Amino acid sequence: MSSEIDEYNGGSVLAMLGKNCVAIASDKRFGMKLMTLGTEFPKIFQATDKIYIAMAGLATDIQTLSELIRYKINMYKLREEREIEPTTLAYMVASTLYERRFSPYYVSPLIAGLDKNNKPYICNMDLIGCVTTTNDFVVGGAADDCLLGTCEALYEPDLEPEDLFETISQSLISAVDRNAASGWGAVVHVLTPERVITRTLKTRQD
Amino acid sequence: MTQRLELPKGGFNFENYQRNVALEQQGLKLPTPTKTGTTVVGIIFKDGVVLGADTRSTAGSIVQDKNCDKIRYMAPNVYCCGAGTAADTQFTNSLICSQLELHRLATGRETRVCTALTLVKQMLFKYQGHVSAALILGGYDVTGPRLLAVAPHGSTDKLPYLVMGSGSYAAIAILENRWKKDLERQEAIDLVQEAIEAGIFNDLGSGSDVNITIIEKGKVDNIKGYARPNRREPKCRSYKFARGSTATLNLSAVTVTEGDAMDTS
């Protein structure tokens, strides 16, 4: 699953579904192979008030694609005079990726958000835009194999926002500590109908 | 001078191609897209078609999705099972699906399965096998029950029972042995279930549940999880962490407001 390209700049992302809430998290590392160059590299982008999109993979593509998606979301908002829905955004990103089917961006995006009825939604996609929507958790990046293991063990359905935060944070930290290309802190956003709670985690710095 | 970013007009975009070739020449191994792995089957019975699929999608040896849907809508009377690169099957399906919808609106007639087949095969042949979608199309149209398959290069088959995907060897063994003409509805469903289960248990690329779709004259039955031979035993204890377990550095909460507040000044 994770390939050499994922390890080039490093970084991992994760999203989980809770009871009327979603959480999305990432580490903060930016490196070049074994050399760490930055420890504040943003991988989670706000799409709307209630949707976040996280991307792991090749850093240059994360930045290019996030700007392209930002442009498309803004154009959608101007054309339609309403906010984009999470499923719509997922297929917008997927189409953007599939358009480059034969010259892909090396990214694994995750989308987490609440729709207009505040129903939580998460999905991930592969580098050419194959959307996978689940009702538990989705992962991506250099430590994705580790993340699948930790999430599979620690996740349980219908967690309240506070409990979801603990579960997603512990899953992320445990996985990222076993992946040299990820780490150096982590950010967790918990999205509820009322507010978005953002926390920075205290983690190992090696 | 500022360059305007144009919205795409359709067709594939090759702007990253040379960069990606350069990265490959540097010795970086490129990631593999999600494959469906898959066992999908379709059989014709007395008065319709039964399609069946497993629900596992894989990336290498990692199970990407334990419960994905491989039987997809094409037209009200046509459904499609996909095997191959997951994104290719997904996008081929939705592209042809929208063309069929427009075709129905233009002609005012029910879609024929062979129309769907022709659109798919012409598209796949155009891309010379680079779009790696292998599809089984099943439907009931004015000519009766129809079951057709397309391979990634655009070649097609018309057979009374069909299989696709990595589990096709396991599934075809069951069908070769047990399929006969004019099966009853329930017999057909049981046979499809058994063929898919052969794939689930004997092919690593296939797994989880059996999804079944039955298409008859003017009637479609979608049964998700017709058989669930691989339920995971629920955890007997909770793994919930006590609140406050995770050390945090800082916290910020942004309150979401719905729309702008009305200006009453």
Side-chain angles (χ1 to χ4, degrees), chain B residues 215-253:
Chain B
I215 309 156
E216 288 158 292
K217 189 174 186 179
K219 192 172 121 207
V220 176
D221 263 347
N222 270 309
I223 312 169
K224 291 220 170 78
Y226 177 78
R228 296 180 192 273
N230 292 295
R231 290 282 84 185
R232 179 171 163 178
E233 214 43 48
K235 286 170 194 159
C236 300
R237 296 277 178 82
S238 171
Y239 270 111
K240 225 150 102 177
F241 288 91
R243 292 185 183 182
S245 298
T246 312
T248 55
L249 289 171
N250 58 45
L251 178 149
S252 73

Side-chain angles (χ1 to χ4, degrees), chain A residues 1 61 71 98-101 103-104 126 129 132 152-153 155-156 163 166 170 194 196 198 200 202, chain B residues 5 13 15-16 19-20 34 64-66 88 91 232 235 238-239 243-244 246-247 249-250 252 254 256:
Chain A
M1 204 168 161
D61 287 351
Y71 161 76
Y98 193 72
E99 191 193 346
R100 290 160 181 81
R101 165 71 177 81
S103 67
D126 69 353
T132 306
E152 198 73 62
Y155 180 81
E156 52 189 80
D163 300 316
E166 302 293 345
Q170 291 300 326
E194 296 80 35
V196 178
T198 305
T200 318
K202 205 169 171 179
Chain B
L5 195 48
N13 179 324
E15 65 185 9
N16 296 331
R19 191 231 21 197
N20 292 354
T34 309
Q64 255 284 349
D65 192 352
K66 292 193 283 188
D88 285 331
F91 279 90
R232 179 171 163 178
K235 286 170 194 159
S238 171
Y239 270 111
R243 292 185 183 182
T246 312
L249 289 171
N250 58 45
S252 73
V254 181
V256 178

Side-chain angles (χ1 to χ4, degrees), chain A residues 6-57:
Chain A
D6 282 313
E7 316 248 294
Y8 189 76
N9 296 127
S12 298
V13 289
L14 162 65
M16 272 184 185
L17 217 60
K19 191 178 185 184
N20 302 319
C21 60
V22 283
I24 187 162
S26 85
D27 72 330
K28 300 205 284 188
R29 181 177 183 264
F30 164 63
M32 268 183 77
K33 294 190 174 166
L34 298 181
M35 179 167 57
T36 302
L37 294 172
T39 59
E40 285 294 339
F41 186 72
K43 295 181 190 72
I44 305 183
F45 307 92
Q46 188 172 24
T48 70
D49 280 351
K50 295 195 290 186
I51 310 171
Y52 281 69
I53 169 165
M55 286 185 231

Side-chain angles (χ1 to χ4, degrees), chain A residues 154-181:
Chain A
L154 300 179
Y155 180 81
E156 52 189 80
D158 294 325
L159 289 171
E160 298 292 333
E162 291 302 308
D163 300 316
L164 185 66
F165 164 73
E166 302 293 345
T167 303
I168 195 171
S169 304
Q170 291 300 326
S171 303
L172 183 70
I173 292 169
S174 307
V176 145
D177 280 356
R178 282 285 173 178
N179 180 254

Side-chain angles (χ1 to χ4, degrees), chain A residues 1 3-6 8 28 33 49-50 58 60-61 67-68 71-72 75 79 91 94-95 98-106 116 118 124-136 139 145 148 151-156 158-163 165-167 169-171 173 192-203, chain B residues 4-21 23-24 26-35 57 59-68 85-92 123 127 129-132 232 235 237-259:
Chain A
M1 204 168 161
S3 66
E4 257 178 56
I5 281 249
D6 282 313
Y8 189 76
K28 300 205 284 188
K33 294 190 174 166
D49 280 351
K50 295 195 290 186
L58 197 63
T60 173
D61 287 351
E67 286 302 304
L68 184 58
Y71 161 76
K72 287 190 175 186
M75 289 306 286
R79 247 195 331 268
Y91 284 100
S95 303
Y98 193 72
E99 191 193 346
R100 290 160 181 81
R101 165 71 177 81
F102 299 109
S103 67
Y105 288 123
Y106 295 118
K116 59 175 182 285
N118 287 323
N124 75 336
M125 49 202 95
D126 69 353
L127 77 164
I128 54 168
C130 166
V131 181
T132 306
T133 310
T134 66
N135 52 13
D136 41 21
V139 303
D145 306 15
L148 280 178
C151 292
E152 198 73 62
L154 300 179
Y155 180 81
E156 52 189 80
D158 294 325
L159 289 171
E160 298 292 333
E162 291 302 308
D163 300 316
F165 164 73
E166 302 293 345
T167 303
S169 304
Q170 291 300 326
S171 303
I173 292 169
T192 68
E194 296 80 35
R195 62 185 68 82
V196 178
I197 308 146
T198 305
R199 291 183 182 89
T200 318
L201 305 188
K202 205 169 171 179
T203 72
Chain B
R4 251 185 73 206
L5 195 48
E6 294 285 342
L7 284 170
K9 293 183 186 74
F12 287 114
N13 179 324
F14 289 83
E15 65 185 9
N16 296 331
Y17 186 78
Q18 283 191 308
R19 191 231 21 197
N20 292 354
V21 170
L23 282 174
E24 214 171 352
Q26 276 181 37
L28 277 170
K29 266 201 219 78
L30 304 181
T32 49
T34 309
K35 296 275 170 102
S57 81
S61 62
I62 292 280
V63 177
Q64 255 284 349
D65 192 352
K66 292 193 283 188
N67 191 17
C68 71
T85 301
D88 285 331
T89 60
Q90 245 176 46
F91 279 90
T92 305
M123 181 199 152
Y127 290 112
H130 292 287
V131 172
S132 60
R232 179 171 163 178
K235 286 170 194 159
R237 296 277 178 82
S238 171
Y239 270 111
K240 225 150 102 177
F241 288 91
R243 292 185 183 182
S245 298
T246 312
T248 55
L249 289 171
N250 58 45
L251 178 149
S252 73
V254 181
T255 309
V256 178
T257 46
E258 301 273 345

Side-chain angles (χ1 to χ4, degrees), chain B residues 176-193:
Chain B
E176 285 288 0
N177 187 232
R178 297 257 309 275
W179 185 87
K180 57 182 191 283
K181 217 177 157 226
D182 294 331
L183 281 167
E184 292 300 322
R185 189 180 195 266
Q186 193 54 45
E187 284 179 328
I189 295 172
D190 292 345
L191 180 58
V192 168
Q193 182 194 340

